[in-house]
Amino acid sequence: MSKQALLQPYQSNNLDLKNRVVMAPMTRSRANNPEKKPTEDLQGLYYQQRASAGLIISEGSQVSEEAVGYINTPGIHSKEQVEGWKLVTDKVHNEGGKIFIQLWHVGRMSHPDFHNGDLPLAPSPINPNAQSYTPEGFKDTVAPKEMTKEDILRTINDFKQAAKNAMEAGFDGVEIHSSNGYLFHQFFNATSNTRIDEYGGSIENRARFFFEVLDAIKEVMPEQKIGARFNPSLNGVFGMTMDEETIPTFEYIIKKLNDYDLAYIHLSEPFTDVSDISYAVTEIAKHFRPLYNGTLIINSNFDQEKGNQVIENGDADLVAYGKPFISNPDLVERFANNLELTEWNQDTFYTPGKEGYTDYPKISKLAAS
């Protein structure tokens, strides 16, 4: 076994992984069937091919019909979807892999076309001024509906039921998608949450919804099987705008998570250049590592060298790779042998079928051809 930090086993009280290479959650829009369910020959094969990762985190999977914001994304709220995911988890486990499912609600990053003409839900009626990819192509987002207390309670229960469904489907755990400008992130940021009730105003109030969901999920599965993803310095994309309270909000959340016994927290480095924003953090792992006592996954534009380095520096325990896993199903083996990576084809990221999905060859196949 290679001496690279990425390829060393990782053990904590809650995780036992064969290496420190994590497959990041990535929307691939392959559930183009009426049930929006994964299938054995597509999602099943796709994740099976990548089961040498220490941990796979699945694509975001909506917890309800209200949570949808992209075409052909799978859900985890119906019986048919649960049965479809069982085929996926079986295939991953048969290869000795481990897989968490990412639980997803996009909030205002949606469009009425997904909701029979109704407005998408969000903490406040503020248009993110972004675009939603609908069945008819990209459309401008609209001002969403401000969630009522009833909407909030129903959504909490949707996440709770989705977590229960995930356990039935055979997942090793769940990741709460509280990142990338989606519903939880919209509650966190004062620029997207202007509520004056107990879910708005103070930092504690803006974090309340997330912790209520976390506590509800704990009722149906061990908290040791729960992870959460955050993108603290997201700015200028997914409708998000930072302000002076953004980083203090994430500092509060991540410190408070020390009171829980989670599987991990999953952080992203900035998606855009935020070096000119005085209140942004440019090095997320380095900033938040001292604040959190548990397992920390870091993500965003890491190559093999940088992945090894961030672990060796002690700034993260695991590194999540996205696009490299798309075109290199055997990414771990390529790292182990310091082999060249196959380039991905961005034109097939979100198209139906196997092209650009399950047809990228492993290095052993290339050598034999």
Side-chain angles (χ1 to χ4, degrees):
M1 174 60 71
S2 170
K3 297 299 183 184
Q4 295 178 54
L6 281 168
L7 302 182
Q8 300 309 302
Y10 179 74
Q11 287 186 315
S12 68
N13 290 337
N14 306 331
L15 287 174
D16 184 3
L17 308 180
K18 57 193 174 187
N19 59 63
R20 297 170 185 244
V21 180
V22 176
M23 179 176 167
M26 291 176 285
T27 299
R28 300 304 312 276
S29 297
R30 259 46 181 210
N32 55 324
N33 55 71
E35 297 84 12
K36 297 294 184 285
K37 66 179 182 180
T39 60
E40 186 173 13
D41 60 333
L42 277 176
Q43 289 83 1
L45 178 58
Y46 173 71
Y47 288 112
Q48 180 188 36
Q49 290 173 335
R50 291 153 179 82
S52 59
L55 175 66
I56 293 172
I57 306 171
S58 84
E59 62 211 280
S61 301
Q62 55 261 9
V63 299
S64 68
E65 289 294 340
E66 290 180 327
V68 178
Y70 296 83
I71 62 168
N72 299 334
T73 53
I76 185 64
H77 56 85
S78 73
K79 180 180 179 182
E80 292 80 10
Q81 291 162 358
V82 170
E83 291 304 311
W85 279 119
K86 282 181 181 178
L87 301 174
V88 175
T89 59
D90 282 349
K91 281 184 169 292
V92 171
H93 292 151
N94 287 341
E95 297 292 329
K98 294 188 177 179
I99 183 168
F100 277 40
I101 186 172
Q102 190 184 63
L103 304 181
W104 196 23
H105 193 308
V106 306
R108 67 183 186 173
M109 291 297 295
S110 186
H111 191 275
D113 286 3
F114 288 111
H115 309 291
N116 298 313
D118 292 337
L119 295 174
L121 300 177
S124 299
I126 301 171
N127 190 336
N129 295 314
Q131 288 195 315
S132 175
Y133 190 43
T134 76
E136 298 177 1
F138 282 107
K139 291 190 177 183
D140 292 339
T141 55
V142 300
K145 175 197 171 189
E146 178 170 309
M147 294 174 76
T148 64
K149 299 283 183 64
E150 181 183 357
D151 292 330
I152 290 173
L153 290 174
R154 183 178 64 258
T155 304
I156 292 170
N157 192 62
D158 288 339
F159 273 91
K160 180 179 179 179
Q161 183 61 49
K164 188 175 180 181
N165 292 346
M167 292 298 94
E168 183 183 343
F171 283 97
D172 298 293
V174 304
E175 177 179 282
I176 304 171
H177 195 356
S178 33
S179 184
N180 293 6
Y182 298 125
L183 184 62
F184 293 102
H185 204 158
Q186 293 159 28
F187 271 90
F188 297 154
N189 277 29
T191 58
S192 50
N193 179 355
T194 57
R195 301 176 73 97
I196 57 173
D197 63 1
E198 67 266 39
Y199 294 97
S202 69
I203 287 175
E204 293 81 1
N205 281 357
R206 284 186 273 116
R208 185 185 306 275
F209 173 57
F210 169 80
F211 284 101
E212 288 183 348
V213 168
L214 176 56
D215 289 339
I217 291 176
K218 277 176 52 184
E219 295 176 9
V220 296
M221 63 182 293
E223 65 184 83
Q224 295 84 358
K225 293 179 176 289
I226 305 170
R229 191 180 192 196
F230 305 98
N231 194 334
S233 281
L234 186 72
N235 187 71
V237 288
F238 293 108
M240 276 292 116
T241 303
M242 296 183 70
D243 68 6
E244 291 85 348
E245 283 199 332
T246 300
I247 294 300
T249 300
F250 284 101
E251 290 172 340
Y252 166 79
I253 293 166
I254 288 168
K255 287 179 183 177
K256 187 177 172 74
L257 286 173
N258 286 317
D259 298 333
Y260 294 78
D261 189 20
L262 299 187
Y264 61 79
I265 63 167
H266 182 182
L267 303 180
S268 294
E269 296 290 349
F271 284 1
T272 56
D273 183 4
V274 295
S275 58
D276 61 340
I277 302 175
S278 61
Y279 44 80
V281 169
T282 57
E283 294 183 290
I284 294 296
K286 196 172 292 293
H287 181 85
F288 285 96
R289 171 75 281 179
L291 305 184
Y292 186 63
N293 300 328
T295 297
L296 192 155
I297 304 175
I298 192 63
N299 168 256
S300 191
N301 293 322
F302 281 86
D303 59 15
Q304 182 179 355
E305 181 181 359
K306 291 179 180 176
N308 280 309
Q309 194 67 55
V310 73
I311 295 172
E312 290 168 1
N313 290 345
D315 293 329
D317 302 298
L318 309 168
V319 181
Y321 291 87
K323 292 174 184 175
F325 253 121
I326 289 177
S327 52
N328 299 276
D330 54 349
L331 184 65
V332 173
E333 291 81 1
R334 295 191 189 220
F335 282 174
N337 294 286
N338 294 304
L339 298 174
E340 185 177 353
L341 301 187
T342 300
E343 285 295 314
W344 54 80
N345 178 5
Q346 195 153 339
D347 292 341
T348 58
F349 278 2
Y350 311 111
T351 53
K354 67 179 183 180
E355 184 183 357
Y357 191 61
T358 58
D359 61 350
Y360 284 107
K362 295 187 177 184
I363 198 73
S364 56
K365 294 275 183 70
L366 288 173
S369 63

